[in-house]
């Protein structure tokens, strides 16, 4: 019994030492109490990454009773802000929320100043947001199966819009073509707002659009929804079946995840993951995420690492195959 008590004290002492931030004595509060923390969003304000990042930062700041600053460091498809975090002190004070670019940018850009696997530590996935396959209302198709048949009968005649090369909206279209053996023309835009207007006006035929952007137009009757891009139905639009029911293996989403600099102590990583997961279960936070059609996740660092590897494999192979390069 004595030996067990000594081991337990040693274990707890070791954990406290790990959680104590550099420069703070063990007699003081452990990390993150008393610290000013920073969450880097590598995109401009008001986008989905920024909104979800601020929701998580606010919740963690309340949980830890500490100041959590959100800093937008946009540019180069998220690479500028990601590089800032990759080179930050690995003490838990600087975190990153990032999306699909973490898996795709190394294939889209000639050179990165960071290694997404070696220089960053996965913490947890915050949320998944599906895309919705939508078509011009005058296109003579009423289902995914009919779209595939129409595209095969008219190779190269259909055009699909996107929010830019390498985005989930673009890659959804490329992946759809690969799995269905169809050929369409890609028309990139600087965001999907203009693409949606061109879809309504008949200048393009379809988009695999972010569901929060597309759904109001679908329900207003200005465009037609055919299917959801994720493997299961979305609570935000349960009337749409997954595209995978017609095109086996099709599974695409915009995902948003937290990372820290590599070599951040595992105890800090685990605390952030556990407290983020608990925060995502809060009804008030979930209600706010529902407005984005965002599905909370909160998985483990190991599960996020495995997911990232699978995304890198899927998109890396596709990007190399089509020869896509960032503009």
């Amino acid at each position: 019994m004595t030996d067990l008590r000594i081991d337990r004290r040693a274990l707890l002492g070791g954990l406290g030492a790990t959680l104590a931030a550099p420069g703070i004595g063990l007699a003081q509060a452990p990390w993150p109490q008393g610290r000013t923390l920073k969450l880097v969003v590598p995109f401009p304000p008001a986008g989905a990454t920024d909104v979800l990042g601020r929701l998580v930062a606010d919740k963690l700041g309340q949980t830890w009773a500490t100041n959590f600053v959100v800093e937008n460091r946009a540019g180069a498809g998220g690479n500028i802000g990601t590089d800032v975090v990759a080179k930050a002190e690995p003490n838990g004070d600087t975190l990153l929320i990032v999306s699909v670019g973490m898996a795709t940018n190394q294939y889209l850009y000639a050179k990165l100043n960071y290694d997404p696997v070696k220089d960053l530590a996965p913490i947890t996935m915050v949320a998944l947001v599906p895309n919705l396959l939508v078509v011009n209302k005058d296109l003579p198709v009423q289902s995914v199966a009919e779209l595939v048949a129409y595209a095969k009968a008219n190779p190269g005649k259909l055009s699909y819009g996107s929010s830019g090369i390498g985005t989930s909206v673009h890659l959804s279209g490329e992946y759809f073509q690969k799995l269905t053996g169809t050929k369409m023309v890609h028309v990139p835009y600087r965001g999907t707002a203009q693409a949606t207007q061109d879809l309504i006006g008949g200048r393009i035929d379809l988009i695999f659009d972010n569901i929060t952007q597309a759904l109001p137009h679908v329900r207003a009757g200005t465009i037609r929804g055919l299917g959801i891009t994720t493997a299961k139905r979305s609570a935000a639009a349960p009337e749409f079946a997954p595209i995978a029911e017609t095109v086996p293996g099709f599974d695409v989403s915009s995902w948003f995840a937290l990372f820290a600099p590599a070599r951040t102590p595992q105890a800090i990583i685990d605390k952030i993951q556990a407290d983020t997961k608990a925060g995502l279960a809060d009804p008030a936070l979930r209600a706010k995420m529902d407005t984005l059609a965002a599905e909370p996740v909160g998985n483990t660092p190991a599960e996020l690492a495995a997911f990232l590897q699978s995304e890198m494999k899927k998109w890396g192979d596709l990007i190399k195959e089509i020869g896509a390069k960032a503009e």
Side-chain angles (χ1 to χ4, degrees):
M1 179 64 75
T2 302
D3 290 342
L4 178 61
R5 185 178 298 113
I6 292 173
D7 288 345
R8 182 172 180 272
R9 288 174 177 173
L11 175 64
L12 292 174
L15 178 62
T18 303
L19 287 177
I24 296 181
L26 294 183
Q28 299 182 41
W31 183 95
Q33 296 177 32
R35 311 285 290 183
T36 295
L37 309 181
K38 179 167 64 178
L39 178 67
V40 173
V41 177
F43 298 101
T49 311
D50 180 67
V51 173
L52 287 169
R54 290 177 186 277
L55 288 176
V56 171
D58 286 347
K59 186 63 180 177
L60 290 178
Q62 294 169 15
T63 300
W64 297 335
T66 191
N67 189 27
F68 216 135
V69 177
V70 176
E71 181 179 305
N72 295 91
R73 297 290 293 268
N79 289 328
I80 291 175
T82 301
D83 185 52
V84 167
V85 179
K87 293 177 171 56
E89 187 71 23
N91 58 7
D93 288 2
T94 304
L95 305 178
L96 171 74
I97 184 165
V98 74
S99 187
V100 183
M102 182 66 83
T104 61
N105 282 354
Q106 63 182 312
Y107 307 107
L108 293 167
Y109 289 82
K111 181 182 178 181
L112 298 183
N113 293 324
Y114 63 91
D115 186 306
V117 174
K118 294 180 180 179
D119 295 337
L120 291 149
I123 301 174
T124 189
M125 186 183 296
V126 173
L128 292 170
V129 178
N131 293 334
L132 183 65
L133 169 55
V134 291
V135 301
N136 176 270
K137 61 183 177 61
D138 295 325
L139 195 69
V141 300
Q142 300 292 328
S143 67
V144 174
E146 289 184 6
L147 175 63
V148 173
Y150 187 89
K152 286 184 175 180
N154 298 274
K157 299 291 182 64
L158 291 177
S159 59
Y160 74 98
S162 82
S163 51
I165 292 174
T167 62
S168 69
V169 181
H170 168 219
L171 294 176
S172 292
E174 295 292 345
Y175 201 46
F176 184 84
Q177 294 177 85
K178 179 177 181 177
L179 294 184
T180 60
T182 56
K183 184 64 177 176
M184 300 183 291
V185 177
H186 175 221
V187 183
Y189 292 79
R190 294 186 180 277
T192 59
Q194 182 58 50
T196 300
Q197 291 307 309
D198 280 1
L199 178 65
I200 293 170
R203 288 176 286 278
I204 58 174
D205 298 300
L206 60 118
I207 313 176
F208 294 81
D209 202 0
N210 182 281
I211 191 171
T212 54
Q213 164 73 18
L215 200 54
H217 297 286
V218 171
R219 290 182 171 160
T222 56
I223 55 179
R224 181 182 302 124
L226 298 186
I228 208 82
T229 62
T230 44
K232 65 179 183 178
R233 292 183 187 244
S234 169
E239 65 269 32
F240 295 107
I243 294 171
E245 291 186 8
T246 304
V247 184
F250 191 90
D251 185 9
V252 182
S253 64
S254 296
W255 50 267
F256 305 87
L258 293 177
F259 287 79
R263 299 177 300 282
T264 298
Q266 191 61 45
I268 291 179
I269 296 287
D270 290 343
K271 178 175 177 56
I272 299 170
Q273 187 274 331
D275 290 348
T276 300
K277 182 177 181 179
L280 292 173
D282 177 63
L285 180 57
R286 293 190 74 124
K288 293 176 181 177
M289 293 179 70
D290 284 346
T291 64
L292 301 172
E295 177 187 342
V297 181
N299 59 1
T300 67
E303 288 168 340
L304 175 55
F307 175 82
L308 180 61
Q309 289 293 336
S310 70
E311 288 283 279
M312 287 179 171
K313 171 64 176 171
K314 177 168 70 177
W315 299 129
D317 289 350
L318 181 62
I319 290 167
K320 291 173 186 176
E321 182 179 323
I322 65 178
K325 296 295 179 184
E327 296 177 325

